[in-house]
Amino acid sequence: MAKSNKSSNSVTVTNTASRRAANIVMFVVIGLAALILIAVAALSAVRIDPIEKIGKPARYDFYDAGGESSTISVSGDDASALRVALDKMDFSIMSAILQGHWDYSYNFMRDAEGEKDEILGAQAFLKTPGENEYMVEFVYDDVKNDRGTLDMSTAQSIEVDGETVYFDRLKVIIGNTDGKIGTITMWPYIDARTVNTSTDDEFSAVTYYVTGITVRADTTETYAALAQYANGFKRP
């Protein structure tokens, strides 16, 4: 009888230890699953707005698709409606991660060697949207100009690849990302420098170069809203 009892006690201890180990594993799995769900919820709640750091302009100039020469200066209620459309380009970090995107900052357009792809400011001034794109130009108060010396404290600015870019005009070209996270292109410039014929190197248009900027955006809703917006201004 004693031997039988000893064997029975050994089996009981072994089963108890197994159950404890199984419970620990289960608690760890549940804990990890809860942490993953919390992380997913948190990343889904955090949204990136590509124009959040860009100040609201004095007015917008709207360019219809295809680069039509005529533009529409937008103010008042129309400007508010246009801003609502532009504010629809935000996206969640979770969506971006699932699509393999990790960089949501402003980046200069670069050539194959990684150098900034510069163009004359006058060329940026002439930029128009492509066939399947719309363009909205943010028009700010002109940078103050004291006989060829610009007061940059009166300019708008954003940080791009560690550099401060100053402007009083910003062209934003928007295509349709079709439900995905893609990019928009922005062309910042100082209006006075695009037309100045002075030979002063600090101010002359012939020495003024700018670089396009790209930033992640989901333009699906914005593109549809801009299409509706454009239809409201079709000429007879």
Side-chain angles (χ1 to χ4, degrees):
M1 292 294 292
K3 290 182 179 180
S4 176
N5 287 340
K6 185 175 181 180
S7 175
S8 175
N9 289 340
S10 176
V11 171
T12 301
V13 170
T14 301
N15 288 343
T16 301
S18 297
R19 285 197 297 272
R20 285 177 179 171
N23 287 339
I24 290 172
V25 171
M26 182 180 66
F27 289 142
V28 169
V29 170
I30 292 173
L32 288 174
L35 288 174
I36 291 172
L37 289 174
I38 291 171
V40 168
L43 292 174
S44 298
V46 177
R47 303 190 69 81
I48 304 295
D49 182 352
I51 62 171
E52 181 180 19
K53 296 180 181 178
I54 299 172
K56 291 184 179 180
R59 75 169 196 272
Y60 299 96
D61 284 349
F62 179 76
Y63 294 69
D64 204 348
E68 293 184 2
S69 58
S70 60
T71 63
I72 303 164
S73 292
V74 184
S75 58
D77 291 342
D78 290 330
S80 297
L82 187 58
R83 185 72 193 195
V84 169
L86 294 172
D87 284 340
K88 296 178 182 293
M89 293 190 290
D90 65 320
F91 57 89
S92 74
I93 291 182
M94 191 68 240
S95 296
I97 291 173
L98 291 175
Q99 293 179 42
H101 303 312
W102 301 87
D103 182 6
Y104 322 122
S105 60
Y106 300 115
N107 294 289
F108 286 122
M109 297 176 69
R110 297 183 181 275
D111 60 23
E113 285 72 42
E115 298 297 323
K116 289 196 297 184
D117 193 1
E118 295 183 322
I119 64 172
L120 280 169
Q123 291 176 287
F125 173 83
L126 295 172
K127 281 285 181 183
T128 57
E131 189 64 34
N132 297 307
E133 299 172 328
Y134 295 103
M135 187 171 79
V136 179
E137 183 165 15
F138 291 44
V139 181
Y140 300 89
D141 293 336
D142 293 340
V143 175
K144 287 186 178 179
N145 174 16
D146 183 12
R147 296 188 297 275
T149 299
L150 297 176
D151 180 1
M152 292 306 179
S153 69
T154 66
Q156 301 295 311
S157 66
I158 53 174
E159 294 297 315
V160 184
D161 289 346
E163 297 183 30
T164 302
V165 177
Y166 297 98
F167 58 94
D168 57 18
R169 303 289 189 275
L170 182 71
K171 291 188 171 184
V172 182
I173 299 177
I174 301 169
N176 188 0
T177 57
D178 290 319
K180 298 179 182 179
I181 297 170
T183 59
I184 56 175
T185 303
M186 302 186 293
W187 294 93
Y189 64 95
I190 295 173
D191 188 50
R193 288 211 62 184
T194 65
V195 296
N196 189 273
T197 57
S198 167
T199 57
D200 183 351
D201 286 347
E202 296 299 316
F203 192 58
S204 174
V206 299
T207 61
Y208 181 47
Y209 287 84
V210 301
T211 302
I213 299 166
T214 60
V215 64
R216 295 283 179 195
D218 180 351
T219 68
T220 311
E221 289 187 57
T222 295
Y223 188 87
L226 291 178
Q228 268 191 326
Y229 190 84
N231 288 337
F233 284 95
K234 280 188 175 176
R235 304 294 187 264

